[in-house]
């Protein structure tokens, strides 16, 4: 009788790291990683030695020094005697403000323009084509300067609102003033304020804002639970209960209760002296930057939307039409949900590009994080390396956060195959 036994296993030898294909790739990767780390270590060591020789070791103590410069557009209280850390935080908030506003407007415009480019109306589709080709083939910096010039040259000056028969008038029951110095709008005020909470001695956050954000989060969570319950009932019985009013109440009521408890009211702008006083002032620099980035990015998003819609099989639309669905319902219920898997990945890149393009804000005098930390603070303190490294870190964190949120959303909306 013949017995079969496994071949004896070959013992490991160092030569196998080079000559054995099972280990050779790992060896090459390890050597490449080691070489990269050595190069980085040499660069860091060389930089530190040179800075030490110049008498400029890495030091972040300058953040506690007075900034000694003003920031015209800000979301929180700030004056020139505040520290460079607070000035940088104000610039960061300005960057996030433009990024959020720009991404929101660019998304809405991009979806609408992308759908219109596929319209059967020849004139409408050609106009949208001209828009896309015009905006995406001109540098965004030129659009920023162009929008700034339009706002300054075409809008009325504040003195045009003065007199018994003014040449300009306020909008929305005398609550909104559009001038060549910016837009003045009503300001939310609270008669029973809760005060502020301070972080690290430089960041003050209003407790009223925290309460409102918590109320919104709780409302959206409750709305989501109501929707999930309706989904379970539909899956079990085939009938979906009407829940829109419950979901709306879940979001609105907690927010409204908090507003009433805080004594919410509006403060309106009024012409006093040579300018408007009170209310919220959106300067032309912010408006021009916001519109230019939104219009520019919307052209690219429109192409992404058009590509996503064209990627959906025409049979889907024909089947929906055979069921008697209207064109707008076909687009919202059949086409766009399937097109999202093609639209969202490049949409993430467009959001990142818009956020990074906001660093051009200094061209129109808008003080973002690049203008504060990477501009005046760096010039005043002479701490180029520290400021540039922190600036790079800030944009890296913002970009990674956008990618994380959008990738999470992409997984939520992707089609689940059976």
């Amino acid at each position: 009788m013949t017995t079969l036994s496994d071949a004896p296993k070959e013992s490991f030898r160092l030569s196998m790291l080079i000559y054995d294909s099972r280990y050779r790739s790992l060896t090459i990767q390890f050597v490449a990683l080691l070489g990269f780390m050595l190069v980085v270590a040499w660069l860091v060591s060389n930089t530190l030695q040179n800075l030490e020789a110049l008498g400029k070791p890495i030091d972040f103590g300058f953040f506690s020094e007075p900034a000694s410069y003003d920031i015209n557009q800000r979301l929180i209280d700030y004056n020139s005697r505040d520290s460079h850390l607070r000035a940088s935080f104000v610039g960061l908030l300005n960057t996030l403000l433009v990024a959020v506003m720009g991404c929101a407007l660019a998304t809405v415009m991009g979806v609408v323009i992308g759908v219109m480019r596929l319209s059967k109306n020849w004139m409408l589709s050609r106009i949208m084509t001209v828009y896309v080709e015009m905006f995406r083939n001109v540098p965004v910096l030129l659009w920023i300067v162009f929008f700034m010039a339009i706002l300054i040259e075409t809008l009325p000056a504040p003195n045009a609102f003065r007199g018994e028969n003014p040449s300009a008038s306020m909008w929305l029951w005398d609550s909104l003033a559009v001038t060549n110095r910016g837009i003045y709008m009503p300001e939310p005020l609270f008669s029973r304020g809760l005060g502020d909470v301070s972080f690290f001695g430089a960041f003050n956050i209003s407790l009223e804002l925290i309460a409102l954000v918590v109320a919104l989060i709780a409302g959206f969570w409750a709305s989501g639970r109501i929707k999930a319950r309706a989904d379970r009932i539909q899956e079990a019985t085939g009938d979906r209960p009407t829940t829109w009013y419950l979901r709306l109440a879940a979001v609105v009521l907690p927010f409204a209760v908090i507003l009433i408890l805080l004594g919410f009211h509006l403060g309106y702008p009024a012409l006093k002296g040579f300018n408007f006083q009170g209310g919220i002032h959106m300067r032309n620099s912010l408006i021009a930057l916001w519109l230019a980035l939104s219009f520019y990015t919307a052209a690219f998003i429109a192409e992404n939307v058009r590509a996503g819609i064209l990627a959906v099989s025409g049979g889907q639309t024909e089947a929906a039409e055979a069921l008697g669905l209207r064109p707008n319902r076909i687009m919202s219920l059949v086409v766009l949900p399937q097109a999202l898997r093609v639209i969202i990945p490049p949409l993430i890149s467009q959001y990142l590009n818009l956020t990074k393009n906001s660093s051009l804000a200094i061209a129109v005098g808008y003080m973002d994080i690049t203008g504060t930390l990477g501009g005046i603070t760096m010039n005043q303190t002479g701490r180029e390396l520290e400021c540039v490294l922190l600036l790079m870190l800030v944009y890296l964190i913002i970009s990674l956060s956008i990618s994380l949120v959008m990738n999470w959303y992409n997984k939520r909306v992707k089609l689940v195959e059976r």
Side-chain angles (χ1 to χ4, degrees):
M1 177 179 290
T2 303
T3 59
L4 300 177
S5 59
D6 296 335
K9 294 184 178 180
E10 184 180 6
S11 60
F12 177 78
R13 301 186 307 275
L14 290 178
S15 60
M16 299 173 64
L17 294 175
I18 299 177
Y19 299 106
D20 195 324
S21 59
R22 294 174 296 175
Y23 304 101
R24 187 185 302 144
S25 61
L26 296 177
T27 303
I28 296 174
Q29 294 180 49
F30 176 77
V31 172
L33 177 61
L34 181 61
F36 175 76
M37 294 177 63
L38 290 175
V39 171
V40 172
W42 177 82
L43 289 174
V44 172
S45 176
N46 188 55
T47 302
L48 294 176
Q49 291 178 5
N50 291 335
L51 290 175
E52 192 72 28
L54 293 173
K56 294 176 59 177
I58 294 180
D59 183 15
F60 295 94
F62 67 91
F63 272 127
S64 60
E65 300 174 0
S68 301
Y69 63 88
D70 293 324
I71 300 177
N72 49 21
Q73 185 78 58
R74 51 186 180 268
L75 294 177
I76 60 176
D77 292 334
Y78 170 83
N79 60 71
S80 60
R81 303 309 302 165
D82 286 330
S83 64
H84 284 291
L85 180 61
R86 187 171 182 83
S88 301
F89 184 65
V90 173
L92 174 60
L93 292 180
N94 287 344
T95 295
L96 296 177
L97 175 64
V98 171
V100 172
M101 292 171 57
C103 290
L105 181 58
T107 301
V108 174
M109 292 182 58
V111 172
V112 173
I113 295 170
V115 173
M116 286 183 177
R117 281 207 66 184
L118 298 173
S119 173
K120 296 179 180 179
N121 186 314
W122 184 88
M123 181 63 70
L124 182 61
S125 64
R126 294 290 80 78
I127 292 175
M128 294 300 105
T129 301
V130 171
Y131 170 89
V132 170
E133 298 301 331
M134 180 177 63
F135 271 92
R136 71 175 184 174
N137 288 298
V138 175
V140 63
L141 178 59
L142 297 182
W143 286 118
I144 295 174
V145 176
F146 174 77
F147 274 90
M148 186 66 176
I150 291 296
L151 293 175
I152 293 175
E153 298 297 334
T154 61
L155 296 180
N159 58 14
F161 294 81
R162 192 186 308 278
E164 297 181 357
N165 296 312
S167 58
S169 59
M170 299 178 66
W171 299 358
L172 299 177
W173 304 283
D174 293 337
S175 64
L176 184 69
V178 181
T179 73
N180 61 356
R181 297 182 182 178
I183 298 177
Y184 298 84
M185 61 185 67
E187 176 185 10
L189 299 174
F190 303 96
S191 59
R192 291 183 290 273
L194 301 178
D196 298 336
V197 58
S198 178
F199 295 93
F200 308 108
F203 312 141
N204 296 330
I205 299 180
S206 172
L207 291 177
E208 296 90 345
L209 178 61
I210 295 177
L212 293 174
V213 171
V214 171
L216 278 179
I217 294 175
F220 281 110
W221 178 84
S223 175
R225 302 306 302 172
I226 295 174
K227 178 180 180 300
R229 179 177 177 274
D231 292 338
R232 290 194 298 268
I233 294 176
Q234 183 179 13
E235 292 178 359
T237 64
D239 296 327
R240 185 176 185 84
T242 303
T243 60
W244 67 266
Y245 57 92
L246 294 176
R247 297 180 62 188
L248 181 63
V251 176
V252 173
L253 287 181
F255 191 78
V257 170
I258 296 297
L259 289 178
I260 294 174
L261 293 177
L262 294 176
F264 171 78
H265 63 281
L266 293 176
Y268 295 94
L271 184 60
K272 297 180 181 179
F274 297 99
N275 206 347
F276 282 89
Q277 302 294 331
I280 297 176
H281 182 198
M282 288 183 62
R283 294 181 176 271
N284 283 338
S285 56
L286 170 59
I287 300 172
L289 182 67
W290 171 41
L291 294 179
L293 292 178
S294 300
F295 279 62
Y296 178 80
T297 307
F300 293 90
I301 295 178
E303 290 298 278
N304 297 335
V305 172
R306 186 170 71 97
I309 293 175
L310 292 177
V312 179
S313 173
Q316 299 285 331
T317 303
E318 295 173 356
E321 291 175 347
L323 293 175
L325 293 179
R326 296 181 178 180
N328 60 337
R329 302 293 289 176
I330 294 174
M331 181 61 65
S332 61
L333 298 178
V334 178
V335 178
L336 281 181
Q338 299 182 74
L340 284 178
R341 56 183 176 180
V342 179
I343 296 173
I344 292 179
L347 182 63
I348 300 175
S349 298
Q350 298 307 323
Y351 286 169
L352 298 179
N353 290 335
L354 187 149
T355 303
K356 290 181 287 187
N357 286 336
S358 67
S359 60
L360 299 171
I362 195 64
V364 289
Y366 181 71
M367 298 296 290
D368 67 335
I369 186 67
T370 303
T372 54
L373 178 60
I376 301 179
T377 294
M378 182 174 67
N379 293 330
Q380 286 186 354
T381 61
R383 294 291 175 177
E384 301 86 358
L385 183 62
E386 293 90 335
C387 291
V388 172
L389 287 177
L390 287 176
L391 193 61
M392 293 169 61
L393 180 62
V394 166
Y395 278 108
L396 177 63
I397 293 175
I398 294 175
S399 299
L400 292 178
S401 300
I402 294 174
S403 299
L404 180 65
V405 173
M406 292 301 298
N407 283 321
W408 169 81
Y409 179 73
N410 189 31
K411 293 180 180 179
R412 286 288 304 270
V413 300
K414 72 177 183 180
L415 298 177
V416 179
E417 298 181 0
R418 297 182 178 180

